[in-house]
Amino acid sequence: MTTSLLADDIRHRLGTLTPAERKVARVLLVAYPSAGFETVATVAERAGVSAPTVLRFVGRLGYHGFPDFQAALRDELDERNASPIHLYETADDAALRQSPDGLMARSAKLFGNALAQTLTELAPHDLQTAVSLLSDRKRRVVLAGGRFTHVLAQYLGLHLMQLRGDVRFLPDRDVERTAALNAFGRRDVLVVFDYRRYEDDKQAMAQLTQERGGKVIVFTDVWLSPTSAHAEVVLPSRVDTPSPYDSLVPTLAVVETVVAGVVATLGDDAHRHMKQSEETACRTGLV
């Protein structure tokens, strides 16, 4: 499992680069990862710098040349696009055949490290922006998940429904989904969960939301969903796991951290909404 991604490395080094090198970094980040597979001359032209500046930049990242940089990028993309069957077929046999004690010990280490790294690497600004958007009661919140992550979209949505109004899930049926997307405007916040292998419809709906003036919050993995290009907020999580399936344990921790932030931000308003919801549920025999 990759522990240091090229995009992350580039972002972390922005403050140490020369002005010309920062131009190269921004060109690579704006169209990441495809820009990294352009020629040196093309990257230099787009950044408005010389070819030697591009080579000095990749040298600062620790690569011996542009081909070395592109090889590392290809390796990262292989991980980014890996399917569960690929992960199963490339896993260490010993890792798949462990005793219960060994499995628990390995799980504790993997999940513990992944959780700690995820919360450590989470950008405070992104977390605060997500909380602010989700706490703004003038905005409508719409949530959409993927093949597996729909359960996390529902988990976050059901919590938000107890804390504020105007929260809904993107419908599954085509006509209803089209109508919901067509109604998107400036006051909408689209919350998307999109993990490798990324789903094309998520990118399309995020782009549509952005074009309509709405805001997009993306929960994704460390390789970053293409949806991130259209997002106001990107909340990445590690996915290390003892099985061939990516773990959603760290993502759940990020979701609950966001919920805690919304509770704190809404304060008494959240309490009143929770109380009213509880009374309604009791009155109608739902609890």
Side-chain angles (χ1 to χ4, degrees):
M1 182 69 62
T2 299
T3 57
S4 180
L5 300 174
L6 287 173
D8 289 340
D9 197 15
I10 292 171
R11 289 190 192 94
H12 292 157
R13 292 173 183 266
L14 283 174
T16 67
L17 300 174
T18 66
E21 290 167 346
R22 275 198 293 274
K23 291 180 181 179
V24 177
R26 292 192 180 103
V27 164
L28 294 174
L29 288 174
V30 166
Y32 188 85
S34 59
F37 293 109
E38 302 282 3
T39 64
V40 171
T42 300
V43 174
E45 182 181 357
R46 289 185 177 180
V49 301
S50 66
T53 298
V54 176
L55 296 177
R56 282 197 301 272
F57 170 77
V58 298
R60 277 183 176 267
L61 296 179
Y63 299 101
H64 298 300
F66 210 65
D68 190 28
F69 169 79
Q70 290 180 324
L73 188 56
R74 287 190 193 92
D75 289 342
E76 182 177 303
L77 284 179
D78 285 342
E79 283 195 85
R80 190 180 195 238
N81 298 324
S83 66
I85 189 65
H86 172 77
L87 295 174
Y88 184 92
E89 291 171 349
T90 57
D92 181 0
D93 285 345
L96 296 174
R97 297 177 178 84
Q98 298 183 78
S99 66
D101 288 342
L103 179 59
M104 287 189 291
R106 184 162 180 260
S107 295
K109 182 178 180 179
L110 282 173
F111 291 141
N113 290 342
L115 179 57
Q117 276 189 286
T118 293
L119 294 177
T120 298
E121 295 169 355
L122 201 62
H125 175 267
D126 280 340
L127 177 62
Q128 182 56 53
T129 302
V131 169
S132 296
L133 288 171
L134 296 176
S135 301
D136 186 350
R137 291 179 297 159
K138 294 180 181 179
R139 294 184 178 274
R140 176 173 55 188
V141 178
V142 182
L143 300 101
R147 288 179 294 270
F148 287 87
T149 55
H150 68 278
V151 296
L152 290 180
Q154 291 178 332
Y155 185 78
L156 173 57
L158 291 174
H159 279 79
L160 292 176
M161 286 176 183
Q162 292 191 325
L163 301 172
R164 50 156 295 167
D166 220 357
V167 177
R168 61 197 66 186
F169 301 109
L170 196 65
D172 290 327
R173 290 186 292 194
D174 292 348
V175 174
E176 293 175 350
R177 175 168 287 211
T178 300
L181 291 170
N182 192 48
F184 275 13
R186 297 180 62 83
R187 76 181 189 93
D188 286 291
V189 178
L190 175 66
V191 182
V192 176
F193 289 77
D194 194 29
Y195 291 69
R196 67 174 184 183
R197 300 170 284 176
Y198 310 108
E199 299 174 14
D200 292 340
D201 67 318
K202 303 302 182 298
Q203 183 178 6
M205 65 178 66
Q207 184 175 3
L208 175 66
T209 304
Q210 184 186 47
E211 290 172 353
R212 299 279 181 84
K215 303 297 184 182
V216 180
I217 299 172
V218 177
F219 289 80
T220 186
D221 51 40
V222 291
W223 296 279
L224 303 183
S225 159
T227 306
S228 303
H230 309 289
E232 184 82 8
V233 177
V234 180
L235 301 172
S237 300
R238 297 276 164 173
V239 295
D240 308 63
T241 175
S243 81
Y245 294 95
D246 286 344
S247 172
L248 296 179
V249 169
T251 302
L252 181 58
V254 175
V255 167
E256 296 203 346
T257 300
V258 169
V259 169
V262 172
V263 170
T265 300
L266 289 176
D268 290 340
D269 288 338
H271 179 250
R272 281 192 291 271
H273 194 88
M274 291 174 67
K275 187 175 181 180
Q276 185 177 17
S277 296
E278 184 74 9
E279 291 172 351
T280 299
C282 289
R283 184 175 177 179
T284 56
L286 297 176
V287 294

